[in-house]
Amino acid sequence: MERYNGWLIDEHKQSEGFFHSDGRVVLDAKIVPDIETLYKLLHNKGVVSDSFEKIADYIQYGDGSNLSSSEKAVARMYNGANFVSSVNRKDLAVFMALFKLGSKHQYSTTQKAYAILSISQTGSSVTYNRAMNKIKKYINDNLPNIQREMIAQLKQQQLIPEWVTVF
């Protein structure tokens, strides 16, 4: 997985037959907004007060109020549960809005790169990097500036102040 220009690229090599694999690399990529980085930027600039990890723990484990103290101890022992006493409700709303907006921006592409010589002579990383660069070009040419768009949506929902811009 690689971060690029506000996006997360989750790429996987396509498995191919023996004869096709010597001269090319084919990458299937799922492209989604990099919500963690954007939230952390908002946190570093003081727009939100709770850290990404604290909000994520709260969502995953909750405050544990529905568990007895012995159940909490067992959950911590086996699950490593990090119960969070409380989180800022506005920060939680920003966090959830980012994930909701992110679910509307999921893309995929398949890109190929060919080796000038056989991959065994040039190394697969060179051909892999060519295919990855094609994915990045696809992002630049076809996808929006996702950080700018998500910040605009958060402003429209009045979850963050108007002075916030892409950093």
Side-chain angles (χ1 to χ4, degrees):
M1 186 153 336
E2 185 172 330
R3 287 178 155 83
Y4 177 74
N5 206 15
W7 297 94
L8 284 177
I9 304 168
D10 186 15
E11 82 287 346
H12 300 282
K13 277 187 179 180
Q14 264 187 17
S15 59
E16 298 185 7
F18 175 76
F19 295 108
H20 295 294
S21 63
D22 193 37
R24 72 178 176 179
V25 170
V26 180
L27 294 179
D28 288 326
K30 293 179 183 174
I31 305 164
V32 297
D34 185 358
I35 293 165
E36 180 179 2
T37 298
L38 180 56
Y39 187 90
K40 286 181 176 182
L41 285 170
L42 293 172
H43 183 257
N44 289 340
K45 295 297 181 178
V47 178
V48 293
S49 57
D50 288 330
S51 70
F52 181 86
E53 292 78 11
K54 182 177 180 180
I55 299 281
D57 282 346
Y58 182 79
I59 290 170
Q60 184 172 6
Y61 302 114
D63 62 3
S65 61
N66 60 334
L67 301 176
S68 70
S69 58
S70 60
E71 288 173 326
K72 286 181 187 179
V74 170
R76 282 191 183 101
M77 188 180 349
Y78 290 106
N79 302 327
N82 264 337
F83 299 110
V84 177
S85 58
S86 67
V87 294
N88 182 305
R89 294 293 170 200
K90 188 110 175 170
D91 294 352
L92 181 60
V94 169
F95 188 93
M96 297 306 290
L98 286 173
F99 275 92
K100 187 175 182 181
L101 293 168
S103 69
K104 296 177 184 177
H105 293 280
Q106 297 183 10
Y107 304 93
S108 62
T109 184
T110 300
Q111 299 295 331
K112 300 175 186 175
Y114 296 91
I116 296 169
L117 303 170
S118 73
I119 286 179
S120 59
Q121 293 174 334
T122 61
S124 63
S125 64
V126 172
T127 310
Y128 171 88
N129 288 338
R130 280 194 205 125
M132 181 56 79
N133 287 337
K134 287 183 177 183
I135 292 170
K136 291 175 182 177
K137 182 174 177 5
Y138 170 84
I139 289 171
N140 290 337
D141 293 347
N142 299 298
L143 303 184
N145 181 325
I146 196 62
Q147 289 182 337
R148 183 175 294 131
E149 189 169 312
M150 291 180 98
I151 286 175
Q153 290 291 319
L154 291 174
K155 286 179 187 179
Q156 186 178 13
Q157 295 174 23
Q158 299 179 340
L159 292 172
I160 60 174
E162 284 296 319
W163 60 265
V164 178
T165 61
V166 177
F167 309 107

